[in-house]
Amino acid sequence: MVPPAPRPAAGALSVFARRLGLALVTLWAAVTLSFFGLRLAAGDPLAGLLSQGLASPQQAAELRERLGLADPLLTQYARYLTGLLQGDLGRSLYTQRPVGEVIAEQAGSTVELAIAGLGMTILIGAILGLVAGSRRSTALGSGASAAAGLATALPVALTGVLILWAAMAVGRAAPAFLPLTRSDSLLLPALALGIASAGALARILEGGLQENLEAPFVLAARARGVRRGLPLIWHALRPALPLAISFLSLEAALLLGGTVVTETVFARPGLGRLLVNSILDGDFPVVQGLVLVAAAVYTLTHVAADMAAAFADPRLRDEA
């Protein structure tokens, strides 16, 4: 007797369970590497306080004893993991405030910028990719393909400086546009962040369309009466969507890292500037908390993307 085929929901749940297990291992590895790496590479966590004259040797010794920094490294590691399981990220060495509060104060600005940047990525990348893939033999398609390549080649720092320079030039000619250059403006930083990823997304969509428009299943769809234009483009685009979704999941996580440069160029507050300042100050608990947040965002978005791709393409559920 032939066993029944697995149900789509069972395949999707299998993908989710496997990815969730890998996500937990990734989080543990990120926490462990950041904990030991910071201490073995930089040495005494309180050295920054002593070098800047913010604490006397006696005060540093008392603080080291109170924070348990004099204990063996493995004991500190076990205590740190226990605190994480209880939702305690520790306290900042400089302000003595809970790390969770310090990160939460800056997270809103970074999340806002990352979401806006991802929206720009999808908008610009989809337009360039669809035009380049569906009109590849025209000047418009060639121009879109060239623009996608240029966007991929330009680093975020250069793109941000060019956008800021162009906005200042336009603002001098038309003062109504000057508010766009303020540090609390979201449009220009999101544009700089989105352009950096839009080129790669456009390349994925362009390659998928060019390959699929000549595929037998598209020729069969045309024979069944599917009209040229958007219906046929959508029919050819669907097999390329899982790869695009996976790419966007990675970019959603990496955009948080990209905000380090963008927030610096546009003088915006956020997790990026907090990370840079914490590394320079040697504030280990804050750096560890930021690494944990970045790893959590990366793994969760990756799991969500795998689930979305499994529902979009039944072949991925069958392989689970």
Side-chain angles (χ1 to χ4, degrees):
M1 181 177 179
V2 179
R7 293 177 297 176
L13 288 176
S14 175
V15 173
F16 176 75
R18 186 174 69 251
R19 288 300 184 184
L20 185 60
L22 291 175
L24 294 176
V25 173
T26 301
L27 287 176
W28 170 79
V31 167
T32 302
L33 289 175
S34 64
F35 182 90
F36 288 103
L38 286 170
R39 283 157 178 78
L40 295 177
D44 186 4
L46 301 180
L49 292 176
L50 291 170
S51 63
Q52 298 179 44
L54 299 178
S56 65
Q58 181 180 358
Q59 291 173 329
E62 293 175 355
L63 183 59
R64 186 179 292 107
E65 187 68 29
R66 187 167 70 250
L67 296 178
L69 298 177
D71 296 336
L73 200 55
L74 290 179
T75 302
Q76 297 181 46
Y77 174 65
R79 185 167 54 242
Y80 180 63
L81 288 183
T82 302
L84 285 183
L85 294 176
Q86 298 173 353
D88 182 13
L89 299 179
R91 289 183 174 271
S92 168
L93 297 179
Y94 279 73
T95 64
Q96 290 300 298
R97 297 176 56 209
V99 171
E101 290 183 6
V102 175
I103 294 177
E105 286 181 354
Q106 304 295 327
S109 177
T110 296
V111 170
E112 181 183 47
L113 176 58
I115 292 175
L118 185 63
M120 287 290 183
T121 295
I122 296 173
L123 177 62
I124 299 173
I127 292 175
L128 292 179
L130 292 178
V131 172
S134 61
R135 299 182 178 273
R136 58 187 182 277
S137 59
T138 66
L140 182 60
S142 299
S145 182
L150 181 62
T152 304
L154 292 177
V156 178
L158 179 58
T159 303
V161 171
L162 291 176
I163 289 176
L164 194 56
W165 175 80
M168 293 294 293
V170 173
R172 285 193 293 268
F177 289 94
L178 278 177
L180 294 177
T181 62
R182 292 167 43 185
S183 60
D184 58 349
S185 175
L186 188 61
L187 177 61
L188 297 185
L191 183 61
L193 201 57
I195 287 176
S197 304
L201 176 61
R203 288 298 194 189
I204 292 173
L205 297 178
E206 177 187 0
L209 274 178
Q210 289 183 357
E211 179 181 355
N212 294 334
L213 283 174
E214 303 297 333
F217 76 92
V218 172
L219 298 178
R222 292 177 59 184
R224 292 196 306 269
V226 177
R227 300 191 307 275
R228 287 181 175 272
L230 290 180
L232 190 63
I233 290 175
W234 171 246
H235 196 71
L237 184 64
R238 286 189 62 187
L241 288 181
L243 181 58
I245 292 172
S246 297
F247 169 77
L248 287 174
S249 73
L250 294 176
E251 286 304 307
L254 294 176
L255 281 176
L256 289 175
T259 59
V260 174
V261 177
T262 308
E263 288 170 355
T264 302
V265 171
F266 290 91
R268 286 180 56 89
L271 296 180
R273 296 183 69 184
L274 177 63
L275 176 62
V276 172
N277 293 334
S278 299
I279 291 175
L280 294 177
D281 293 338
D283 200 344
F284 289 2
V286 176
V287 176
Q288 289 170 184
L290 290 170
V291 169
L292 177 62
V293 169
V297 170
Y298 176 84
T299 53
L300 291 176
T301 53
H302 204 57
V303 169
D306 284 340
M307 290 295 295
F311 280 109
D313 191 343
R315 294 173 299 178
L316 299 180
R317 296 195 294 264
D318 296 337
E319 294 172 0

